Amino acid sequence: MTHITDAVVIGGGPVGLATALSLEKAGLSVTVLERSSLPAWEEPSFDGREIALTHYSKRILKECEAWDHIPQSVICPLREAHVETGSFRHPLTFDTNGRGEEALGWLVSNNHIRRALFAAASEKERIHLQPHTSVETVRQGQDYAAVHHSGGRIKARLVVGADGRFSPTRRRAGIGAIVHDFHKSMLVCRMAHESPHHNIALQWFDEGQTIALLPVNGMASSLVLTLPADEIQRLLATPRDEFNAEITRRVGARLGQMRLVSTRHAYPLKGVYAHRFTGRRLALVGDAAVGMHPITAHGFNLGLKGQETLAQCIGKAFNIQADAGNAQALRQYERQHRRATALLFAGTNGIASLYTHDALPFKPIRQACIRLADRFTPFKQAVTTLLMDKKTTA
């Protein structure tokens, strides 16, 4: 059986669902293909990841009608962000002082964002959500693309690959990618602690490890610990009491005794930048286009901005020619998203390299950088603006 639609989104993660909502808002009919079962897609389980949403991303989620599906009790405002290195306890501090804003951004668990976007998408008549579906081939023709999957075939004017940084859609299209392997893994989980976090996020580049503590509501924080992969695997299997003691030691007991209150999850650290973001009747979004190192906490935010750019470019062409796969619109998306991501991707990788090497001369250089940056007000203001990303918000 062949189904016909304006656009097919391969991958029903948060960026894929946001893309479907944005394209639907532009007037397109959209089918979303997702490998997970319906229960797992509709009610995703905790995966350890806390997403630092900017003001811009909050606006996008509101326009997608997803924000109201996120319970207020799970949204934690981020008041300050501190950056430290080694035992050099002179933090580089970012806050909203003088900006008239209550928060730099908001921390929300990834599974709550996914649940909210699924709920919003399921309310749209022009969005068809198809779970438990594996894509087999994508044929990109002159006038349409044919997607063959485990349940049949779909003809669409546009195919959107939103299937992660190791995207099969990108590979099928013959699009290569720059893959930066940091040869590390990160462990993420939620830890309760004795002292309040005061809604401050910490990024600590310690000797032999990188630690982030991200505030969540209550006396708890999300731990993001970066180590060699074998060390992360050991910690995943460490008994709970021993794990609590080791994490308390690793973070210097700065929030008192730490206690694991969630499942533990591990992810390899690899940055990805696709050689092209588009092909004939094809666009890549989210990590399939640009998979960022989490050091800036901007990967998901970039994904949201990218899909909005795509929807704007496609929407204009669709209103004129009723062709969701218009080549000129796809080229425009490519240009705009590359301008928005290329320097940030390169800069992030450079920062990650500088701040995760402990040998000379990296350690004294980063100490000097933090000291100078904290004294240079224009730099701090520029970074704070980047963290908040308030431009063009409503």
Side-chain angles (χ1 to χ4, degrees):
M1 179 179 178
T2 300
H3 177 66
I4 300 175
T5 187
D6 292 320
V8 173
V9 177
I10 301 175
V15 173
L17 288 169
T19 303
L21 285 160
S22 295
L23 291 175
E24 189 276 341
K25 188 176 180 182
L28 282 69
S29 59
V30 187
T31 296
V32 184
L33 305 180
E34 168 59 30
R35 291 178 299 174
S36 302
S37 66
L38 180 59
W41 195 10
E42 186 177 19
E43 293 290 336
S45 58
F46 178 76
D47 63 11
R49 291 176 287 189
E50 302 290 334
I51 307 300
L53 296 170
T54 63
H55 291 251
Y56 194 104
S57 292
K58 180 180 177 181
R59 192 266 292 169
I60 292 177
L61 291 174
K62 282 187 172 182
E63 291 184 355
C64 287
E65 300 177 25
W67 184 258
D68 289 341
H69 287 285
I70 303 175
Q72 289 296 307
S73 61
V74 304
I75 301 172
C76 182
L78 176 60
R79 313 286 186 197
E80 293 183 19
H82 293 179
V83 180
E84 297 181 9
T85 181
S87 57
F88 178 69
R89 295 297 176 86
H90 182 94
L92 174 58
T93 301
F94 302 99
D95 56 42
T96 63
N97 288 347
R99 291 174 177 262
E101 295 289 344
E102 63 150 355
L104 288 169
W106 297 267
L107 286 152
V108 183
S109 294
N110 186 55
N111 62 313
H112 287 295
I113 296 172
R114 294 185 65 178
R115 185 179 298 124
L117 285 162
F118 181 93
S122 65
E123 295 171 350
K124 303 298 182 182
E125 290 185 3
R126 287 197 299 259
I127 295 179
H128 175 63
L129 300 173
Q130 193 165 321
H132 210 266
T133 302
S134 298
V135 174
E136 296 165 356
T137 62
V138 178
R139 305 296 184 193
Q140 300 155 255
Q142 185 68 36
D143 299 319
Y144 64 87
V147 179
H148 295 259
H149 58 82
S150 53
R153 187 174 80 138
I154 299 176
K155 288 176 64 175
R157 294 283 190 166
L158 173 68
V159 174
V160 180
D163 46 353
R165 62 186 64 201
F166 306 113
S167 167
T169 303
R170 185 182 68 222
R171 187 182 65 249
R172 288 190 192 99
I175 300 175
I178 298 168
V179 179
H180 190 119
D181 190 344
F182 293 93
H183 302 289
K184 298 282 181 69
S185 291
M186 64 178 184
L187 180 147
V188 288
C189 61
R190 188 169 288 192
M191 306 290 295
H193 40 74
E194 296 176 315
S195 301
H197 50 55
H198 301 295
N199 295 83
I200 298 172
L202 170 68
Q203 182 80 49
W204 180 22
F205 301 97
D206 194 17
E207 293 186 23
Q209 63 180 7
T210 301
I211 293 174
L213 289 173
L214 309 176
V216 297
N217 288 331
M219 299 282 283
S221 295
S222 173
L223 170 73
V224 184
L225 175 62
T226 301
L227 289 168
D230 57 344
E231 279 292 285
I232 292 297
Q233 289 303 313
R234 178 186 64 80
L235 283 169
L236 287 173
T238 299
R240 184 176 293 258
D241 288 346
E242 294 178 27
F243 180 82
N244 292 341
E246 180 166 345
I247 296 303
T248 300
R249 176 183 60 78
R250 283 184 176 276
V251 303
R254 60 175 65 210
L255 292 174
Q257 293 297 312
M258 309 285 283
R259 177 170 54 87
L260 181 66
V261 291
S262 75
T263 49
R264 288 170 272 188
H265 303 265
Y267 300 96
L269 279 184
K270 292 185 179 182
V272 175
Y273 199 90
H275 293 163
R276 293 184 288 116
F277 298 158
T278 61
R280 177 184 287 180
R281 300 200 170 277
L282 173 72
L284 302 175
V285 296
D287 285 355
V290 183
M292 297 286 289
H293 188 290
I295 194 171
T296 60
H298 260 51
F300 177 65
N301 296 300
L302 271 181
L304 280 185
K305 294 179 77 171
Q307 65 80 32
E308 183 185 53
T309 299
L310 175 66
Q312 289 171 347
C313 295
I314 294 299
K316 291 176 183 177
F318 185 77
N319 288 333
I320 297 171
Q321 299 179 350
D323 184 359
N326 179 274
Q328 184 176 350
L330 289 172
R331 285 194 295 269
Q332 183 183 4
Y333 161 66
E334 168 98 30
R335 288 193 300 270
Q336 291 184 216
H337 197 42
R338 195 167 292 281
R339 282 199 303 267
T341 58
L343 288 178
L344 187 58
F345 179 81
T348 297
N349 288 349
I351 291 171
S353 297
L354 172 62
Y355 279 87
T356 55
H357 285 77
D358 297 320
L360 291 173
F362 295 101
K363 185 177 176 180
I365 288 175
R366 64 183 186 233
Q367 289 180 354
C369 286
I370 284 181
R371 184 183 291 109
L372 290 172
D374 197 48
R375 294 174 181 173
F376 189 49
T377 301
F379 171 80
K380 291 182 65 173
Q381 290 176 341
V383 174
T384 301
T385 298
L386 175 65
L387 291 172
M388 295 176 69
D389 198 5
K390 281 202 68 205
K391 54 186 178 298
T392 72
T393 58

